[in-house]
Amino acid sequence: MTPSTAVHAGPGTGATDARIADRPVPGVAPPATDQATTGRRTPTGPVASRLHAASARSRSLVQSVAQHWRRSLQFRTVVATMLLTSVSFVAVGGFLSNQIAGALYDQRFDQFSAEATEELTRTKAVFRDSSATDSDTTSRLVLDSVEALVSLDTDAPRHAILVPISGNVLIPTTVSQQGVTASMLPPDLQDTVADSPDIHWAPMTIPVTESGATNAPGIAFGTQVQLPPDQASYALYVYYDLSAMQTTLDDIHRVLWLAGVVLLLVIGAIAWYVTRSVVRPVSHAASVSEKLAAGQLQERMEVRGEDEVARLGVSFNHMAGSLQDQITQLAQLSQMQQRFVSDVSHELRTPLTTVRMAAEVLHDAREEFDPVNKRSAEILFDQVERFQDLLADLLEISRFDAGAAVLEAESVDIVQLVQHAIDGARPLAERLGSDLTIVAQGTRCIVEADARRIDRILRNLIVNALEHGEGKPTEIHIACGPEAVAVAVRDHGIGMTTLQASRAFDRFWRADPARARTTGGSGLGLSIAMEDARLHNAWLEAWGRPGEGACFRLTLPRTQGTALTSSPLALPPPPAVAGPGPGPDPSAHDIPAERTREPSEGE
């Protein structure tokens, strides 16, 4: 008679876990989940301090790991390698463990099934052929039969248990192992055996085995038997203790885990060594490139061997040498150009002074000339003045290029400087028909600055706004903040595009080359203004929209040495009523719409 399955169709149809208890013999039952504790108090005092310290250490550790992950290619490679290797080990180890457990279980199941079938069939025949006529004889027969089913095989001990099925109990439950009860048998198996005379099996859990193991896995086989003298139905079971097999499987698991950990560490060390041999030259190249960028053009990579990294080092050094030669040539050419401009400017001062004196004589006597010569004398005087202004600007630019410009900072009132610049530009404004208006948030604002250079910046900005303002009003906005002062010159003329705003401070650059200058400027005014602003560690920014005008904003730190972080004036500033105001507007801080330079790291 072949045993049928109460719960499982046959061996190997259970879960894929490596534990015998789950293939389908259950192992250690999972612990019950603890219930949530209500009314828990929040830790205070020393406990809270320790928890806070532990939380701070955890955050610091996570931040450190995240920083290493972002900044270290070697750390990222080693960690990724170990993680992927761990996943591979878990997958391969799980597969191997499942195969080993399956093979171990399948091999013994056929043996257990054959033995149980034979023993249960034999015992059923003994009960059927028995001539017992009273309960004592039947009890002795049952006890002897149950004891005969016991097998103390060290690999899988076998025990038996007889359980009454009907309510009329002549023989009580009889067991071969002390402490065993019928409650440990699977309920599904008991129901199936009670309904069918065939042999059935199911996995089970043995609370305590003879070896002392608790919740050990096992497998039970059962069938119906009829006991004399009244042929009452009983259920006879034999079950096998598989704790020894589970121990063997646990030992295999421990070996697999230990081998996996050792192999993981070995692979991690190999990955660290290999990545170090590759990343170290790259890191060295990055360090050398940073030094080259800092101006240390003599730095080179150390080359060893003839591999790809060595060829990279040779190519890098060749590139660095070429860059050094080109930078040196450019530096020499720049010095020659600067020296040429400076020397020519200085050499032109003497003959230009002589020509100017002659032009002034002719200009003063122009009333005695005929109309043609009179106009020629006026043009000569104007162009000599323009030439002298251009020469002065060239000398100033050469001083900036040579690094000879010195800031002479003192406490000045920015409002007075703006008023002085407006007074100087008022004749041009009257000639062009443009109104100059001051929009201030205060009547006085003290700042540490070089008054001569700030006045030159303001004059250049105001003259530029008048020249391109097409006779429309021009506003000069002043705002004074706790750490910075801003002056914005806003016109409503032809305006300019974003690209033009980004090039407004280039030397000799003009937004419209075909447009004639009304003031005869040199084309260096805004460039000099930018250099003066940089000397103050200030921001000089431009904004423009075609047809809507342009705006130039100067932002100065109130104290020299203070890094700018924001401007107290928007770019462009919002329309406001002219005249002194009540004070700084806290909402006026603004990020510039168009910057003509990138702020330094401190900004």
Side-chain angles (χ1 to χ4, degrees):
M1 184 179 295
T2 303
S4 60
T5 304
V7 180
H8 300 275
T13 61
T16 58
D17 190 15
R19 183 172 174 85
I20 289 180
D22 298 328
R23 295 192 49 84
V25 181
V28 179
T33 305
D34 294 337
Q35 298 295 328
T37 303
T38 58
R40 182 176 298 172
R41 296 182 179 179
T42 302
T44 57
V47 176
S49 300
R50 288 194 295 268
L51 291 176
H52 180 72
S55 176
R57 287 193 297 269
S58 300
R59 289 195 300 270
S60 177
L61 178 61
V62 171
Q63 293 175 358
S64 177
V65 172
Q67 183 179 9
H68 278 79
W69 179 268
R70 292 192 306 269
R71 303 185 60 181
S72 175
L73 176 61
Q74 182 177 3
F75 177 79
R76 191 161 59 247
T77 303
V78 172
V79 171
T81 301
M82 296 187 70
L83 288 177
L84 294 176
T85 305
S86 301
V87 173
S88 302
F89 283 169
V90 170
V92 174
F95 175 77
L96 292 177
S97 177
N98 183 66
Q99 294 299 315
I100 293 172
L104 185 63
Y105 178 80
D106 294 342
Q107 178 184 4
R108 297 306 302 273
F109 178 80
D110 295 337
Q111 176 185 349
F112 296 153
S113 178
E115 291 180 356
T117 301
E118 180 182 357
E119 294 296 330
L120 290 175
T121 303
R122 181 185 60 81
T123 305
K124 181 184 292 189
V126 170
F127 290 153
R128 184 180 61 248
D129 298 337
S130 174
S131 59
T133 57
D134 54 31
S135 60
D136 292 338
T137 304
T138 302
S139 297
R140 182 175 298 277
L141 175 63
V142 170
L143 184 60
D144 292 341
S145 299
V146 169
E147 292 294 339
L149 291 173
V150 174
S151 174
L152 299 180
D153 184 5
T154 56
D155 187 16
R158 184 181 66 204
H159 292 275
I161 180 171
L162 182 72
V163 181
I165 295 178
S166 61
N168 186 12
V169 178
L170 179 64
I171 302 299
T173 299
T174 305
V175 298
S176 63
Q177 184 180 5
Q178 187 177 4
V180 172
T181 62
S183 60
M184 74 176 188
L185 295 171
D188 293 341
L189 179 61
Q190 296 187 48
D191 296 340
T192 305
V193 170
D195 296 336
S196 173
D198 295 331
I199 298 176
H200 304 275
W201 69 272
M204 61 177 297
T205 300
I206 304 175
V208 180
T209 65
E210 292 182 352
S211 62
T214 58
N215 295 329
I219 183 171
F221 295 84
T223 186
Q224 277 191 27
V225 296
Q226 282 73 36
L227 295 183
D230 55 356
Q231 299 300 313
S233 296
Y234 287 79
L236 178 62
Y237 302 92
V238 292
Y239 60 90
Y240 291 85
D241 179 8
L242 305 183
S243 58
M245 296 173 58
Q246 184 64 57
T247 302
T248 301
L249 189 60
D250 292 340
D251 292 339
I252 295 175
H253 288 169
R254 281 191 289 269
V255 172
L256 289 177
W257 277 109
L258 180 61
V261 171
V262 173
L263 190 57
L264 181 63
L265 294 177
V266 171
I267 292 177
I270 294 175
W272 177 83
Y273 177 77
V274 172
T275 54
R276 180 174 178 269
S277 62
V278 176
V279 172
R280 189 174 183 182
V282 176
S283 178
H284 181 56
S287 176
V288 173
S289 63
E290 290 175 356
K291 293 180 180 179
L292 290 173
Q296 303 178 21
L297 302 179
Q298 74 282 355
E299 289 291 331
R300 297 292 184 272
M301 284 187 63
E302 183 179 355
V303 179
R304 295 179 181 177
E306 299 179 357
D307 55 7
E308 291 81 0
V309 177
R311 292 200 299 271
L312 173 63
V314 172
S315 301
F316 185 91
N317 292 339
H318 179 70
M319 178 190 68
S322 299
L323 289 176
Q324 183 180 13
D325 294 340
Q326 295 179 11
I327 291 175
T328 302
Q329 293 176 3
L330 291 175
Q332 292 175 353
L333 179 61
S334 177
Q335 291 177 358
M336 292 176 59
Q337 292 175 343
Q338 293 174 9
R339 189 179 302 112
F340 173 79
V341 172
S342 179
D343 293 345
V344 169
S345 301
H346 281 283
E347 292 298 329
L348 287 177
R349 293 182 68 178
T350 300
L352 182 60
T353 302
T354 303
V355 172
R356 179 180 175 82
M357 293 174 62
E360 288 179 351
V361 172
L362 294 176
H363 187 267
D364 292 340
R366 68 184 183 280
E367 299 297 336
E368 302 175 2
F369 301 155
D370 59 81
V372 175
N373 290 331
K374 177 181 178 181
R375 180 57 182 164
S376 299
E378 292 175 349
I379 293 176
L380 176 63
F381 181 78
D382 292 338
Q383 293 303 316
V384 168
E385 279 193 340
R386 180 179 178 184
F387 191 13
Q388 192 170 18
D389 293 338
L390 174 61
L391 185 60
D393 289 343
L394 287 174
L395 287 174
E396 188 66 24
I397 285 292
S398 66
R399 279 193 288 269
F400 280 116
D401 292 338
V406 179
L407 183 68
E408 299 178 357
E410 58 182 353
S411 296
V412 295
D413 186 359
I414 196 70
V415 178
Q416 291 184 359
L417 291 179
V418 171
Q419 187 62 54
H420 182 267
I422 290 177
D423 293 341
R426 192 159 313 267
L428 176 62
E430 293 175 353
R431 179 158 57 92
L432 296 176
S434 178
D435 295 332
L436 290 174
T437 306
I438 297 179
V439 180
Q441 295 179 340
T443 58
R444 182 178 176 86
C445 185
I446 304 300
V447 61
E448 289 186 6
D450 190 328
R452 179 180 64 87
R453 297 184 184 277
I454 298 300
D455 181 73
R456 181 165 58 192
I457 294 175
L458 296 175
R459 280 190 291 107
N460 281 322
L461 297 182
I462 294 174
V463 169
N464 180 76
L466 292 174
E467 185 178 14
H468 298 86
E470 297 183 327
K472 297 179 181 179
T474 299
E475 300 98 20
I476 296 91
H477 298 257
I478 306 174
C480 187
E483 298 181 355
V485 174
V487 179
V489 180
R490 175 76 160 94
D491 68 75
H492 302 274
I494 59 176
M496 54 184 173
T497 65
T498 302
L499 178 61
Q500 292 171 342
S502 66
R503 299 194 59 190
F505 300 97
D506 293 349
R507 297 178 183 181
F508 300 107
W509 182 84
R510 298 175 66 182
D512 184 7
R515 186 174 184 272
R517 295 182 183 272
T518 60
T519 60
S522 64
L524 294 173
L526 292 179
S527 300
I528 294 175
M530 174 58 76
E531 297 296 339
D532 285 331
R534 287 173 178 168
L535 201 61
H536 285 82
N537 293 321
W539 295 349
L540 185 55
E541 299 144 338
W543 171 91
R545 291 289 183 273
E548 299 181 12
C551 181
F552 290 82
R553 182 181 68 178
L554 173 66
T555 306
L556 291 163
R558 298 199 65 171
T559 304
Q560 286 299 313
T562 303
L564 292 175
T565 57
S566 61
S567 178
L569 198 60
L571 181 65
V577 181
D585 183 5
S587 63
H589 292 263
D590 178 66
I591 300 299
E594 304 288 346
R595 281 191 183 274
T596 60
R597 68 176 185 89
E598 291 296 328
S600 63
E601 185 177 0
E603 300 173 0

PDB file of all heavy atoms in Angstrom, residues 428-441:
ATOM      1  N   LEU A 428      25.953 117.637 -20.414  1.00  0.00           N
ATOM      2  CA  LEU A 428      25.625 116.665 -21.456  1.00  0.00           C
ATOM      3  C   LEU A 428      24.138 116.308 -21.413  1.00  0.00           C
ATOM      4  O   LEU A 428      23.497 116.184 -22.460  1.00  0.00           O
ATOM      5  CB  LEU A 428      26.481 115.404 -21.278  1.00  0.00           C
ATOM      6  CG  LEU A 428      26.190 114.250 -22.236  1.00  0.00           C
ATOM      7  CD1 LEU A 428      26.454 114.668 -23.687  1.00  0.00           C
ATOM      8  CD2 LEU A 428      27.028 113.022 -21.880  1.00  0.00           C
ATOM      9  N   ALA A 429      23.576 116.187 -20.217  1.00  0.00           N
ATOM     10  CA  ALA A 429      22.155 115.856 -20.094  1.00  0.00           C
ATOM     11  C   ALA A 429      21.295 116.974 -20.658  1.00  0.00           C
ATOM     12  O   ALA A 429      20.278 116.721 -21.341  1.00  0.00           O
ATOM     13  CB  ALA A 429      21.805 115.590 -18.630  1.00  0.00           C
ATOM     14  N   GLU A 430      21.684 118.233 -20.416  1.00  0.00           N
ATOM     15  CA  GLU A 430      20.909 119.342 -20.949  1.00  0.00           C
ATOM     16  C   GLU A 430      21.005 119.398 -22.466  1.00  0.00           C
ATOM     17  O   GLU A 430      20.021 119.710 -23.148  1.00  0.00           O
ATOM     18  CB  GLU A 430      21.413 120.653 -20.334  1.00  0.00           C
ATOM     19  CG  GLU A 430      21.121 120.741 -18.823  1.00  0.00           C
ATOM     20  CD  GLU A 430      21.719 121.987 -18.207  1.00  0.00           C
ATOM     21  OE1 GLU A 430      22.470 122.691 -18.939  1.00  0.00           O
ATOM     22  OE2 GLU A 430      21.463 122.250 -17.010  1.00  0.00           O
ATOM     23  N   ARG A 431      22.181 119.092 -22.995  1.00  0.00           N
ATOM     24  CA  ARG A 431      22.356 119.114 -24.446  1.00  0.00           C
ATOM     25  C   ARG A 431      21.554 118.016 -25.127  1.00  0.00           C
ATOM     26  O   ARG A 431      21.024 118.204 -26.217  1.00  0.00           O
ATOM     27  CB  ARG A 431      23.844 118.988 -24.795  1.00  0.00           C
ATOM     28  CG  ARG A 431      24.130 118.973 -26.272  1.00  0.00           C
ATOM     29  CD  ARG A 431      25.565 119.383 -26.539  1.00  0.00           C
ATOM     30  NE  ARG A 431      26.494 118.527 -25.823  1.00  0.00           N
ATOM     31  CZ  ARG A 431      27.041 117.410 -26.327  1.00  0.00           C
ATOM     32  NH1 ARG A 431      26.709 117.025 -27.533  1.00  0.00           N
ATOM     33  NH2 ARG A 431      27.896 116.715 -25.639  1.00  0.00           N
ATOM     34  N   LEU A 432      21.432 116.841 -24.454  1.00  0.00           N
ATOM     35  CA  LEU A 432      20.683 115.716 -25.022  1.00  0.00           C
ATOM     36  C   LEU A 432      19.212 115.758 -24.647  1.00  0.00           C
ATOM     37  O   LEU A 432      18.414 114.962 -25.168  1.00  0.00           O
ATOM     38  CB  LEU A 432      21.289 114.385 -24.553  1.00  0.00           C
ATOM     39  CG  LEU A 432      22.722 114.112 -25.015  1.00  0.00           C
ATOM     40  CD1 LEU A 432      23.229 112.809 -24.403  1.00  0.00           C
ATOM     41  CD2 LEU A 432      22.799 114.033 -26.535  1.00  0.00           C
ATOM     42  N   GLY A 433      18.827 116.651 -23.738  1.00  0.00           N
ATOM     43  CA  GLY A 433      17.431 116.765 -23.341  1.00  0.00           C
ATOM     44  C   GLY A 433      16.967 115.650 -22.423  1.00  0.00           C
ATOM     45  O   GLY A 433      15.781 115.279 -22.453  1.00  0.00           O
ATOM     46  N   SER A 434      17.855 115.123 -21.614  1.00  0.00           N
ATOM     47  CA  SER A 434      17.506 114.027 -20.709  1.00  0.00           C
ATOM     48  C   SER A 434      17.538 114.528 -19.275  1.00  0.00           C
ATOM     49  O   SER A 434      18.468 115.233 -18.866  1.00  0.00           O
ATOM     50  CB  SER A 434      18.505 112.871 -20.890  1.00  0.00           C
ATOM     51  OG  SER A 434      18.216 111.824 -19.986  1.00  0.00           O
ATOM     52  N   ASP A 435      16.506 114.140 -18.497  1.00  0.00           N
ATOM     53  CA  ASP A 435      16.427 114.522 -17.092  1.00  0.00           C
ATOM     54  C   ASP A 435      17.160 113.493 -16.227  1.00  0.00           C
ATOM     55  O   ASP A 435      16.997 112.281 -16.400  1.00  0.00           O
ATOM     56  CB  ASP A 435      14.975 114.612 -16.639  1.00  0.00           C
ATOM     57  CG  ASP A 435      14.233 115.735 -17.358  1.00  0.00           C
ATOM     58  OD1 ASP A 435      14.907 116.710 -17.737  1.00  0.00           O
ATOM     59  OD2 ASP A 435      13.001 115.597 -17.535  1.00  0.00           O
ATOM     60  N   LEU A 436      17.947 113.991 -15.279  1.00  0.00           N
ATOM     61  CA  LEU A 436      18.651 113.137 -14.314  1.00  0.00           C
ATOM     62  C   LEU A 436      17.932 113.222 -12.976  1.00  0.00           C
ATOM     63  O   LEU A 436      17.720 114.313 -12.443  1.00  0.00           O
ATOM     64  CB  LEU A 436      20.112 113.574 -14.166  1.00  0.00           C
ATOM     65  CG  LEU A 436      21.017 113.312 -15.374  1.00  0.00           C
ATOM     66  CD1 LEU A 436      22.397 113.933 -15.133  1.00  0.00           C
ATOM     67  CD2 LEU A 436      21.153 111.818 -15.619  1.00  0.00           C
ATOM     68  N   THR A 437      17.575 112.047 -12.440  1.00  0.00           N
ATOM     69  CA  THR A 437      16.816 111.995 -11.194  1.00  0.00           C
ATOM     70  C   THR A 437      17.483 111.027 -10.228  1.00  0.00           C
ATOM     71  O   THR A 437      17.896 109.931 -10.622  1.00  0.00           O
ATOM     72  CB  THR A 437      15.368 111.530 -11.449  1.00  0.00           C
ATOM     73  OG1 THR A 437      14.779 112.370 -12.440  1.00  0.00           O
ATOM     74  CG2 THR A 437      14.551 111.593 -10.166  1.00  0.00           C
ATOM     75  N   ILE A 438      17.568 111.448  -8.947  1.00  0.00           N
ATOM     76  CA  ILE A 438      18.103 110.581  -7.895  1.00  0.00           C
ATOM     77  C   ILE A 438      16.939 109.932  -7.154  1.00  0.00           C
ATOM     78  O   ILE A 438      16.018 110.615  -6.709  1.00  0.00           O
ATOM     79  CB  ILE A 438      18.986 111.371  -6.914  1.00  0.00           C
ATOM     80  CG1 ILE A 438      20.212 111.940  -7.627  1.00  0.00           C
ATOM     81  CG2 ILE A 438      19.415 110.486  -5.750  1.00  0.00           C
ATOM     82  CD1 ILE A 438      21.122 112.756  -6.721  1.00  0.00           C
ATOM     83  N   VAL A 439      16.985 108.613  -7.051  1.00  0.00           N
ATOM     84  CA  VAL A 439      15.994 107.852  -6.270  1.00  0.00           C
ATOM     85  C   VAL A 439      16.766 107.213  -5.121  1.00  0.00           C
ATOM     86  O   VAL A 439      17.432 106.202  -5.296  1.00  0.00           O
ATOM     87  CB  VAL A 439      15.280 106.784  -7.126  1.00  0.00           C
ATOM     88  CG1 VAL A 439      14.263 106.028  -6.276  1.00  0.00           C
ATOM     89  CG2 VAL A 439      14.625 107.418  -8.333  1.00  0.00           C
ATOM     90  N   ALA A 440      16.682 107.843  -3.942  1.00  0.00           N
ATOM     91  CA  ALA A 440      17.491 107.403  -2.802  1.00  0.00           C
ATOM     92  C   ALA A 440      16.609 106.930  -1.667  1.00  0.00           C
ATOM     93  O   ALA A 440      15.473 107.391  -1.509  1.00  0.00           O
ATOM     94  CB  ALA A 440      18.398 108.536  -2.324  1.00  0.00           C
ATOM     95  N   GLN A 441      17.130 106.025  -0.870  1.00  0.00           N
ATOM     96  CA  GLN A 441      16.435 105.533   0.313  1.00  0.00           C
ATOM     97  C   GLN A 441      16.963 106.200   1.590  1.00  0.00           C
ATOM     98  O   GLN A 441      16.607 105.809   2.684  1.00  0.00           O
ATOM     99  CB  GLN A 441      16.614 104.006   0.429  1.00  0.00           C
ATOM    100  CG  GLN A 441      15.963 103.254  -0.719  1.00  0.00           C
ATOM    101  CD  GLN A 441      16.157 101.756  -0.601  1.00  0.00           C
ATOM    102  OE1 GLN A 441      17.047 101.299   0.099  1.00  0.00           O
ATOM    103  NE2 GLN A 441      15.329 100.993  -1.288  1.00  0.00           N
TER     104      GLN A 441
END
